Amino acid sequence: MAPLLEIRDARRTFLTPEGGRLAALDGVSLSVEANEFVTLLGPSGCGKTTLLRAISGFEALDSGTMVLDGADLSALPPFRRPVNTVFQSYALFGHMTVARNVGYALEVAGVAKSQREVQVAEVLEKVGLAGLGARRPGQLSGGQRQRVALARSIIAKPRLLLLDEPLSALDRNLRQQMQLELKSLQHALGIAFIFVTHDQEEALTMSDWIVVMRAGKIEQIGTPREIYRQPKNRFVAEFIGETNLFPVTVDRVEGGDALARTADGVELRLPVLGRKAGEQVTAILRPADFTLGPTGIPGRVSRAVYLGSDLYLFVQPQAGGPEIRVIARDNQDAREGSAVHLSHDPARVHVLEAG
Amino acid sequence: MALRRQSVVLGVLLAPVTLFLGIFFLLPLCIIAVFSFLTPGLYGGVEWTFYHWNYGRIFGWADGFIEIFEPVYLQILWRSLSFAALTVILTLILCYPVAFWVSRLSDRWRLVFLFLITLPFFSSLIVRLYAWLLILKPTGLLNTVLLNIGLISEPLEILYTPAAVVLGMVYVMVPFMFLPLYASVDTLDRAQIEASLDLGANRVQTFLKVVLPQTLPGIIGGAVIVFIPSVGNFVVPDVLGGAKGLMIGNLVEQQFLSSRNWPFGSALSMIIMAVVLTVLMVSVRRAKKVGGHA
Ligand SMILES: Nc1ncnc2c1ncn2[C@@H]1O[C@H](COP(=O)(O)OP(=O)(O)O)[C@@H](O)[C@H]1O
Ligand SMILES: [Mg+2]
């Protein structure tokens, strides 16, 4: 079956005020299946908004193709595309009531008023705004406005919903609540979501697929677990979550493990598969991959941060080199200044081939 | 305590303005209101006896003996209102698209344009209107050009017609329409236009449902600022209008300067004011309703 949305080699350059050229999209290829939750993740300025605007029709591509549901998108003006957007600024119509905002797509499509009212009430109920239809957007809180924007964009049942950092203006608690609600709403509606964020935690919790972008290019596409456990390169590894990166040289292959050490002499054990003595690679270990025990890398806790059930430790290896970040259970006897040994399961180490 | 000190300070600060408006605005207004109900003096001025025929002459309860009802006053009032309305419509049609265009210019060109639009204020209105007279007269610039390129075989009779008056008023009023319009167009939320298109509204629907309502305060503001001085305008018809271009402002002017009938002139002024106030109140109420809580 053909994917819902297929983007091939999309390119878009802008002229900068300084007279240079800036590739906001530099050969982006992406396909989205029906009913998937896809997240575009990347630092600010990497081209996420530009990609969304190209899909919704507000930005033309220099080259490349976009096919939605078998139809070439480039020929369609924004109002003919079966795609709706939740704008970062919400862009609610300030001169209309909430109900009219929400029913706008139906109003312009010529749906009769009585039928419209039924659907508007239904959607308002769905996003938890029942009874607020008579208000103006100016009389709502930030979280409520966000819900109005959401309700407005799903009422016409688009094939694809684009969300441009919709949660970035909300405070932390509300944001976490909305993350869960959005995810379950997406599931219930059966609409494919392309969700933009620069918050890796948000991406990990919500997505079926994460698309990591940098400077107009896609660095990696994968499930949250793949992106987290098997990043393709340093950029992805460092962008997603807390990471310990060790540039190491493989010492020898011994039994089931490959022994490797950093330039400072910190010793790590890597999965043996494909390792040869003398090669240089980068080993990636997440903070939770270390355990405190009687054996392993000797070091001293230089800082301990209490996180509730966990302890976040910065451990200075005895051999030298940068501090290692470790998440340990709070029941362990580790405090600032105490000597510890860090052990790890070789299977949990992800290896980047290039050093 | 603090509150009282504040109100004292406020009182001191506001006193000069209050005094100024009281003496130079409210007082003359009261004098005109009173004069409009007094008997005209034989050689100008007023006699201090009550006299309602000033209004009778205009609205038709004159007895045909002391004062004669002349429908021409109502006709001229009606004409002034239509000229003013026409001026509002024409300036609006001219300025609305231009406001959009200017709001899209780069910062530098926008500044240049805004300077150009205020440029006329630097020179005398009379001089500028005489320039129009030179352009419009039978041997003027317009006719010469049109004759030479063969579009017409005889000079157009534009000068001293209602058309010339409306043209002149449009010319004078364009900046007053443009500035409030531009202010509302410039603050228009682009994202809302995109949201409308995104939700399936075509360009016409987007204009009618989003752009127009959002710029309505500017439209109403511009319309009020243009309409009010246009109704009472007498300079433009003085220079460019003939007998058929006479407006109510000219009548008032005549009553005070040549006919020396101050009470009648005052009555005419009161009527202009009543009309203008009505228009103002209606449009302010409209704007409030549209603006809502947004
Ligand atoms: N209309 C534009 N004109 C010039 N440069 C632009 C324009 N839109 C975006 N850019 C540039 O393109 C790059 C990508 O922008 P954007 O897609 O908004 O990034 P993101 O949404 O990932 O933060 C940025 O460097 C931005 O400055
Ligand atoms: Mg963005």
Side-chain angles (χ1 to χ4, degrees):
Chain A
M1 213 184 84
L4 175 68
L5 173 72
E6 175 98 64
I7 300 173
R8 281 254 170 85
D9 203 24
R11 284 172 198 280
R12 176 74 167 115
T13 51
F14 290 112
L15 293 175
T16 61
E18 296 78 35
R21 293 185 144 270
L22 185 145
L25 296 179
D26 194 3
V28 169
S29 297
L30 175 68
S31 64
V32 176
E33 302 284 343
N35 207 359
E36 275 181 350
F37 196 117
V38 176
T39 298
L40 303 181
L41 175 65
S44 182
C46 72
K48 307 180 296 286
T49 297
T50 306
L51 184 55
L52 281 200
R53 289 173 62 80
I55 298 170
S56 54
F58 296 111
E59 203 76 72
L61 293 178
D62 298 339
S63 68
T65 57
M66 289 185 302
V67 176
L68 182 76
D69 245 353
D72 181 14
L73 276 186
S74 61
L76 298 177
F79 54 89
R80 294 249 167 75
R81 301 188 182 197
V83 171
N84 286 152
T85 306
V86 177
F87 291 84
Q88 187 167 8
S89 63
Y90 308 153
L92 298 178
F93 306 125
H95 59 289
M96 299 180 190
T97 61
V98 166
R100 192 158 168 233
N101 263 283
V102 172
Y104 190 80
L106 303 179
E107 181 183 329
V108 298
V111 175
K113 192 161 188 237
S114 54
Q115 204 178 333
R116 224 155 67 205
E117 278 166 359
V118 175
Q119 291 194 46
V120 167
E122 219 169 82
V123 174
L124 281 178
E125 172 90 48
K126 213 175 271 177
V127 298
L129 287 180
L132 295 185
R135 296 233 191 136
R136 298 262 178 166
Q139 299 167 308
L140 299 179
S141 72
Q144 288 171 326
R145 272 181 231 181
Q146 212 279 319
R147 287 159 193 266
V148 175
L150 187 64
R152 186 178 69 172
S153 62
I154 59 175
I155 196 166
K157 305 199 170 60
R159 297 300 313 270
L160 178 61
L161 189 68
L162 310 176
L163 304 99
D164 193 353
E165 309 207 16
L167 308 182
S168 61
L170 305 182
D171 62 55
R172 194 182 161 79
N173 281 337
L174 197 53
R175 202 160 76 214
Q176 283 172 346
Q177 183 191 339
M178 281 305 292
Q179 286 172 4
L180 297 177
E181 280 184 36
L182 264 182
K183 178 70 193 155
S184 56
L185 187 71
Q186 186 265 335
H187 203 73
L189 289 171
I191 299 176
F193 276 28
I194 299 184
F195 180 92
V196 163
T197 182
H198 60 254
D199 180 339
Q200 42 94 14
E201 209 180 297
E202 203 164 277
L204 290 174
T205 42
M206 299 174 78
S207 324
D208 295 324
W209 297 96
I210 296 178
V211 179
V212 184
M213 292 180 68
R214 171 165 66 155
K217 286 196 168 75
I218 292 180
E219 293 285 331
Q220 186 172 358
I221 301 179
T223 63
R225 174 165 280 113
E226 279 166 8
I227 298 276
Y228 189 77
R229 300 260 27 133
Q230 291 142 34
K232 268 191 185 154
N233 54 38
R234 279 185 80 119
F235 173 79
V236 176
E238 283 179 316
F239 195 72
I240 313 289
E242 296 280 342
T243 311
N244 295 294
L245 289 172
F246 301 92
V248 291
T249 310
V250 177
D251 224 19
R252 61 183 188 279
V253 177
E254 185 189 82
D257 306 336
L259 277 175
R261 69 177 79 234
T262 66
D264 297 302
V266 175
E267 279 199 5
L268 294 171
R269 290 181 306 136
L270 315 183
V272 73
L273 193 72
R275 295 281 74 85
K276 292 190 295 284
E279 73 180 333
Q280 299 197 330
V281 295
T282 302
I284 295 177
L285 276 144
R286 299 291 178 181
D289 293 337
F290 287 103
T291 43
L292 302 184
T295 60
I297 306 162
R300 191 169 292 281
V301 177
S302 54
R303 205 140 51 92
V305 181
Y306 180 63
L307 295 180
S309 59
D310 292 331
L311 266 179
Y312 197 102
L313 305 174
F314 293 81
V315 177
Q316 177 62 56
Q318 225 168 51
E323 286 177 336
I324 301 172
R325 296 144 187 243
V326 179
I327 290 180
R329 304 298 299 176
D330 184 32
N331 55 19
Q332 251 130 10
D333 189 28
R335 56 178 62 93
E336 272 168 44
S338 57
V340 292
H341 286 87
L342 301 175
S343 62
H344 66 272
D345 176 1
R348 304 288 289 177
V349 181
H350 179 62
V351 177
L352 291 182
E353 298 296 336
Chain B
M1 221 12 228
L3 206 70
R4 258 191 71 182
R5 172 134 14 108
Q6 243 180 23
S7 58
V8 168
V9 169
L10 207 65
V12 169
L13 285 176
L14 286 180
V17 181
T18 315
L19 211 64
F20 182 88
L21 283 180
I23 293 177
F24 294 103
F25 180 73
L26 217 52
L27 194 62
L29 204 65
C30 293
I31 293 175
I32 291 176
V34 171
F35 272 24
S36 73
F37 288 102
L38 294 180
T39 313
L42 209 46
Y43 304 104
V46 291
E47 286 172 20
W48 288 88
T49 48
F50 178 73
Y51 194 77
H52 59 80
W53 305 115
N54 295 322
Y55 290 101
R57 268 176 89 178
I58 302 168
F59 291 116
W61 69 77
D63 55 0
F65 175 60
I66 303 176
E67 293 280 14
I68 303 160
F69 167 58
E70 285 172 286
V72 70
Y73 297 123
L74 279 181
Q75 282 164 15
I76 292 176
L77 177 65
W78 176 244
R79 179 194 296 158
S80 307
L81 292 175
S82 353
F83 280 13
L86 202 57
T87 306
V88 168
I89 292 167
L90 291 176
T91 48
L92 183 61
I93 292 173
L94 270 176
C95 295
Y96 201 59
V98 179
F100 279 89
W101 176 68
V102 173
S103 74
R104 272 154 205 248
L105 291 177
S106 70
D107 285 353
R108 192 157 117 243
W109 286 111
R110 193 164 46 212
L111 225 61
V112 169
F113 189 92
L114 290 178
F115 173 72
L116 285 179
I117 207 126
T118 50
L119 200 60
F121 294 126
F122 290 93
S123 67
S124 151
L125 174 63
I126 305 282
V127 171
R128 285 182 284 135
L129 285 175
Y130 269 99
W132 273 106
L133 190 131
L134 294 182
I135 294 172
L136 296 179
K137 68 179 184 177
T139 57
L141 184 69
L142 182 70
N143 278 313
T144 315
V145 169
L146 288 180
L147 278 171
N148 277 347
I149 61 174
L151 264 176
I152 52 171
S153 53
E154 270 176 39
L156 295 173
E157 300 273 341
I158 305 174
L159 198 56
Y160 307 129
T161 64
V165 175
V166 173
L167 178 70
M169 292 220 291
V170 167
Y171 163 72
V172 173
M173 290 302 169
V174 153
F176 295 95
M177 179 58 90
F178 182 82
L179 293 174
L181 264 189
Y182 172 74
S184 74
V185 166
D186 198 44
T187 53
L188 190 67
D189 184 4
R190 284 281 157 76
Q192 289 187 35
I193 297 175
E194 290 192 351
S196 170
L197 293 169
D198 188 74
L199 292 164
N202 60 32
R203 290 179 191 89
V204 176
Q205 285 171 320
T206 298
F207 177 78
L208 292 177
K209 288 171 190 286
V210 177
V211 177
L212 201 59
Q214 299 237 8
T215 51
L216 204 57
I219 295 175
I220 291 177
V224 167
I225 300 182
V226 169
F227 186 80
I228 291 174
S230 295
V231 173
N233 197 314
F234 62 92
V235 181
V236 176
D238 245 7
V239 178
L240 299 176
K244 273 179 282 175
L246 200 70
M247 288 174 62
I248 195 149
N250 301 96
L251 275 187
V252 175
E253 185 198 13
Q254 277 174 14
Q255 296 314 315
F256 281 93
L257 297 183
S258 43
S259 307
R260 310 209 121 248
N261 189 341
W262 292 10
F264 186 54
S266 302
L268 287 170
S269 303
M270 290 309 290
I271 289 168
I272 300 179
M273 229 165 335
V275 169
V276 162
L277 273 180
T278 313
V279 170
L280 198 65
M281 258 149 51
V282 170
S283 32
V284 164
R285 197 161 299 169
R286 260 288 162 75
K288 255 197 198 141
K289 212 154 87 187
V290 170
H293 286 270

